[in-house]
Amino acid sequence: MLMQVNCSNCHAPLQLPPAANSICCVLCQAITLIADPRSLPLPLPSSSHQQQPLPSPYNHAPPGPPPQAHGRKRAVICGVSYKNTQYELNGCINDANCMKFLLVNRFMFPESSIIMLTEEETDPHKRPTKRNIRMALRWLVQGCQPGDSLVFHYSGHGSQQKDDNGDEVDGYDETLCPLDFESQGMIVDDEINATIVRPLPCGVKLLAIIDACHSGTVLDLPYLCKMDRKGRNVWEDHRPRSGMWKGTNGGEVISFSGCADDQTSADTSALSKITSTGAMTYSFIQAIEYGHATTYGNMLNAMRSNIRHVDEGGFVTSLLTMLLTGGSLGGRSRQEPQLTATEPFDVYNKPFSL
């Protein structure tokens, strides 16, 4: 049985192999000794006059009784609008609010087990900064047990950067752009995989919905479903040639993303005709509302068809991508949502579930 300890440097939850007396953190590379007192919680100061910091919502598992046979449900929903910056997006907070409504009202996720990270939040721990997103992702998988169902939804900018460890087929890491990415940097797919994919134990399932540019393999999952316009599909092996493990600890991870790694995702009012949304998030929710959520293959087909038949606009654009690359998107292909997973499966036989 694996023992859980906290990293002595960044406090990320780590699973300690039996009989081990130290462990290396995959996030910050710090070595934690089991007898290291820094891995234990510090006692509170006795002075009643010392001001206490605001409590963080990420230092414990969701409240409530132990999981029942059907498991628990919890989610992290992140919408980043980059308000009052040159990267501003109009639909991301709408996406976050719509996703929360869907999870609570259609799939019975308890509101108390959903963490919302948007710029509308007044709690400083709930703003979509790099630190808060990292902490929320650790919270998402902390203490998960067989039967649990987890969701990570992100709507915001995504980008790419040169791969520095040789684990990418195309030579580029995919990234998410937190609110403070200009000062704090982006969140790289290697870190996302290490935080919410690799620790996932047997019997736990995670669904990611990533509405961002260059997001096709942003969870670094080992397999990508290549599907043509007639729905014919084949799983493409994206396991690193180095042999680095990108799968789980027995759990199941499936991800819908807004587009391929070399494509961009739209922030548009063309789909709803009412307000701005991310094209992928809107199409995901619409596929469920229209009854296409029978299998993962039917979901993917419905999402792609919905985006393909939008009349307004031409090529989708990404201001952030143009600014970062100094280039033009005129030659890029249209947005096509992608499906990746930790293991290949029959997309037309496996029921969609949350």
Side-chain angles (χ1 to χ4, degrees):
M1 183 175 180
L2 297 179
M3 172 183 172
Q4 183 165 296
V5 297
N6 290 332
C7 171
S8 59
N9 181 53
C10 71
H11 307 292
L14 307 173
Q15 290 185 320
L16 184 73
N21 57 12
S22 66
I23 188 169
C24 179
C25 178
V26 294
L27 298 181
C28 70
Q29 306 304 312
I31 301 296
T32 298
L33 302 177
I34 301 314
D36 189 343
R38 293 177 299 169
S39 64
L40 301 175
L42 296 174
L44 292 174
S46 57
S47 172
S48 59
H49 300 291
Q50 184 167 342
Q51 185 176 3
Q52 298 297 317
L54 289 171
S56 168
Y58 310 126
N59 58 7
H60 54 76
Q68 303 300 314
H70 64 273
R72 295 175 299 184
K73 297 186 175 188
R74 71 178 96 158
V76 168
I77 299 175
C78 181
V80 197
S81 67
Y82 316 90
K83 192 173 181 181
N84 299 322
T85 74
Q86 58 185 330
Y87 312 117
E88 186 166 356
L89 294 171
N90 296 317
C92 296
I93 292 179
N94 291 336
D95 289 345
N97 291 332
C98 289
M99 186 60 65
K100 180 180 179 181
F101 184 88
L102 177 79
L103 294 181
V104 170
N105 292 282
R106 175 61 70 94
F107 294 102
M108 305 301 130
F109 276 63
E111 286 198 53
S112 60
S113 291
I114 297 176
I115 285 183
M116 291 279 288
L117 300 176
T118 73
E119 288 134 284
E120 290 185 342
E121 299 289 336
T122 56
D123 183 344
H125 293 295
K126 301 291 186 67
R127 291 179 62 77
T129 62
K130 183 175 183 177
R131 181 184 184 279
N132 286 345
I133 295 174
R134 280 175 156 178
M135 294 296 288
L137 291 180
R138 294 171 191 167
W139 170 89
L140 183 63
V141 300
Q142 181 182 353
C144 57
Q145 299 185 29
D148 287 359
S149 178
L150 316 177
V151 170
F152 172 44
H153 172 250
Y154 172 89
S155 179
H157 280 304
S159 189
Q160 290 180 302
Q161 65 183 39
K162 200 73 174 176
D163 172 35
D164 61 2
N165 62 3
D167 68 342
E168 294 287 346
V169 173
D170 62 358
Y172 288 91
D173 282 318
E174 284 64 52
T175 64
L176 300 181
C177 302
L179 179 62
D180 54 354
F181 76 93
E182 288 187 287
S183 61
Q184 299 302 312
M186 304 181 194
I187 301 176
V188 183
D189 53 8
D190 294 337
E191 177 180 341
I192 299 170
N193 182 276
T195 304
I196 62 174
V197 176
R198 274 184 267 175
L200 214 64
C202 185
V204 178
K205 62 181 181 181
L206 165 67
L207 178 70
I209 306 115
I210 311 296
D211 197 348
C213 296
H214 311 293
S215 56
T217 63
V218 76
L219 264 66
D220 256 3
L221 300 182
Y223 296 96
L224 169 69
C225 181
K226 301 290 285 187
M227 181 178 289
D228 65 19
R229 292 197 173 193
K230 294 184 179 179
R232 295 172 299 196
N233 66 92
V234 62
W235 286 95
E236 191 172 85
D237 192 341
H238 278 243
R239 288 176 294 180
R241 287 165 293 193
S242 65
M244 183 182 298
W245 178 245
K246 292 289 186 174
T248 67
N249 192 26
E252 177 186 74
V253 181
I254 296 174
S255 175
F256 285 106
S257 49
C259 60
D261 287 344
D262 63 348
Q263 293 177 333
T264 57
S265 292
D267 182 52
T268 179
S269 60
L271 287 164
S272 72
K273 310 296 185 185
I274 300 171
T275 188
S276 289
T277 64
M280 183 268 189
T281 299
Y282 185 88
S283 296
F284 176 85
I285 294 173
Q286 189 180 67
I288 293 171
E289 294 299 315
Y290 284 13
H292 298 299
T294 50
T295 66
Y296 287 90
N298 289 340
M299 278 285 292
L300 185 61
N301 272 321
M303 292 163 62
R304 287 184 168 190
S305 177
N306 193 24
I307 292 175
R308 193 180 300 135
H309 290 108
V310 173
D311 292 327
E312 180 179 318
F315 294 103
V316 296
T317 60
S318 164
L319 176 61
L320 178 64
T321 299
M322 294 178 70
L323 288 167
L324 291 176
T325 62
S328 167
L329 301 176
R332 292 185 179 266
S333 58
R334 291 176 184 266
Q335 172 180 0
E336 286 191 318
Q338 304 292 311
L339 176 68
T340 57
T342 46
E343 295 290 343
F345 58 88
D346 185 337
V347 297
Y348 293 114
N349 274 333
K350 186 177 180 66
F352 173 81
S353 64
L354 278 178

